[in-house]
Amino acid sequence: MRKIIIAGNWKMNKNLQESIDLANLVKRNLYNVEEVEAVLCPPFTSLSDVGEIVVNSNIKLGAQDCYWEKEGAFTGEVSCGMLKSVGCEYVIIGHSERRQFFGETNEIVNKKVKAALQSGLKPIVCVGEKLEERKSGKTFSVIKDHVENSLADLTREDMLKTVIAYEPVWAIGTGVNATKEQAEEVHKYIRGLLKDMYDEELADAVRIQYGGSVKPDNIKELISEPDVDGALVGGASLKADSFADIVKNSIKK
Ligand code: PGA
C-alpha cells in the first residue's frame, strides 16, 4: 500500500514569522490526520523554526533544494547534512523552476538525488513537460528523459525511498490543472518506466505525486486515479485552510 503524500512547496514565500504562523495553523488543522503524510517545505530561512513546530507531530519537514557537496567553499549553497540537522526528512529536487531559471539539468538533479539519499534524506524528484512539448507530442519522451536520467544509477533500496512528482510545467501556477485522465496517463507511464528500470514490485511501491494547480476542490478527483499517490502543492499550500483541506480531501476512502 502506497501512503498518500501531500507536500506544500512554499517556494520563495513567507518570512520567519509568517512561516511560524502558517506552520502552527497547519499543525492545528491536521493534528488528527494519520492516513496521509503531510510535508511542509518552507524556505531555508524558516526550516529550523518550522522544524521545531512540527517535531513529534504527524507533519514532516522538507527543503526545496540542496547541494551535493558535503561542505566547503560553495557560497550560498546548503548541504544535505545541514538539512538533516534541522529536522528535514524530505527534499524537493529538480523542480521545474530550478530547471528553468537556474539551469538545472538531469545530471545536476541526479547528483543532488544521490547526495540526498546518501545523507538519509528522501528526495521528491520533479519531472514534467512544457506546454510546447505537450503540444508537439513529446510528453512521454521528455518524461522518459527526466525519469531515466534524474534517477540514474540508484539502488533498488534508494529508489524505494524516492518520491516522484509529475508536474506538467503548463499547470504550475496557472490555475489550469491536468485533468485526472492526463495525470493518470503520465503516472502510469512513469510506473511502466520504473518497471523497466527495476521490476514490477518496485514500480508498484514507489509513490508518484501530481503537481500543478492542485486545490481543495480538484484533489479528490485527481487522487481517485489509481496511480496518483498524492500532490506537490504550491500556491494552495500558502494558506493553512486550503492546504489542510487538500490533505483531508486526499484521504482515499
Ligand atoms: P502550484 O505549484 O500548485 O502553485 O501550481 C506547484 C509546484 O510548483 O509545485
Side-chain angles (χ1 to χ4, degrees):
M1 256 301 263
R2 301 186 295 265
K3 187 167 186 176
I4 301 292
I5 175 168
I6 306 288
N9 174 10
W10 296 2
K11 307 191 180 182
M12 199 176 74
N13 294 291
K14 307 291 176 190
N15 64 25
L16 183 56
Q17 192 55 50
E18 291 164 346
S19 299
I20 291 169
D21 293 345
L22 178 55
N24 274 318
L25 277 175
V26 170
K27 184 175 155 180
R28 201 178 311 157
N29 272 322
L30 293 179
Y31 78 97
N32 59 352
V33 176
E34 298 292 342
E35 302 90 328
V36 173
E37 202 172 355
V39 187
L40 299 183
C41 305
F44 287 135
T45 43
S46 301
L47 278 173
S48 181
D49 286 73
V50 171
E52 278 175 27
I53 292 167
V54 301
V55 71
N56 297 327
S57 81
N58 52 340
I59 297 168
K60 311 278 178 63
L61 186 69
Q64 298 174 18
D65 189 24
C66 63
Y67 194 57
W68 61 83
E69 294 287 352
K70 287 199 172 75
E71 60 185 11
F74 303 101
T75 302
E77 295 297 324
V78 176
S79 75
C80 298
M82 292 169 185
L83 298 178
K84 280 285 282 184
S85 76
V86 293
C88 285
E89 182 172 332
Y90 287 93
V91 55
I92 299 169
I93 301 179
H95 189 278
S96 69
E97 286 147 20
R98 302 281 335 156
R99 293 180 188 260
Q100 229 179 324
F101 306 138
F102 302 98
E104 290 200 7
T105 60
N106 287 322
E107 289 67 35
I108 290 175
V109 173
N110 187 238
K111 278 188 183 185
K112 292 184 173 186
V113 169
K114 286 175 178 162
L117 287 160
Q118 211 181 17
S119 61
L121 290 169
K122 297 173 188 160
I124 297 175
V125 183
C126 303
V127 302
E129 82 287 358
K130 300 193 187 96
L131 185 60
E132 54 278 21
E133 291 166 337
R134 174 162 282 264
K135 280 189 174 156
S136 56
K138 293 195 190 116
T139 298
F140 290 145
S141 62
V142 171
I143 298 299
K144 186 173 178 1
D145 178 48
H146 282 182
V147 169
E148 288 182 350
N149 295 310
S150 298
L151 302 171
D153 309 319
L154 298 195
T155 64
R156 197 173 187 283
E157 205 188 5
D158 278 346
M159 192 61 234
L160 285 166
K161 292 178 194 145
T162 303
V163 176
I164 298 175
Y166 168 54
E167 297 209 304
V169 179
W170 48 270
I172 296 177
T174 59
V176 183
N177 60 287
T179 63
K180 63 185 171 69
E181 292 81 11
Q182 285 171 322
E184 173 60 19
E185 184 184 37
V186 177
H187 284 228
K188 202 172 172 184
Y189 177 72
I190 293 172
R191 226 176 275 294
L193 292 173
L194 292 173
K195 190 179 160 199
D196 295 343
M197 290 161 72
Y198 298 88
D199 54 67
E200 190 156 5
E201 197 190 331
L202 177 134
D204 277 345
V206 171
R207 294 182 293 178
I208 308 174
Q209 296 176 306
Y210 165 77
S213 298
V214 172
K215 306 243 157 38
D217 60 6
N218 61 21
I219 185 66
K220 263 193 183 153
E221 58 173 32
L222 287 160
I223 209 79
S224 71
E225 293 295 330
D227 290 295
V228 177
D229 307 316
L232 184 53
V233 186
S237 72
L238 298 175
K239 291 217 167 75
D241 287 356
S242 58
F243 183 69
D245 285 346
I246 290 170
V247 172
K248 289 174 188 164
N249 289 347
S250 72
I251 299 173
K252 279 193 185 180
K253 296 270 152 48

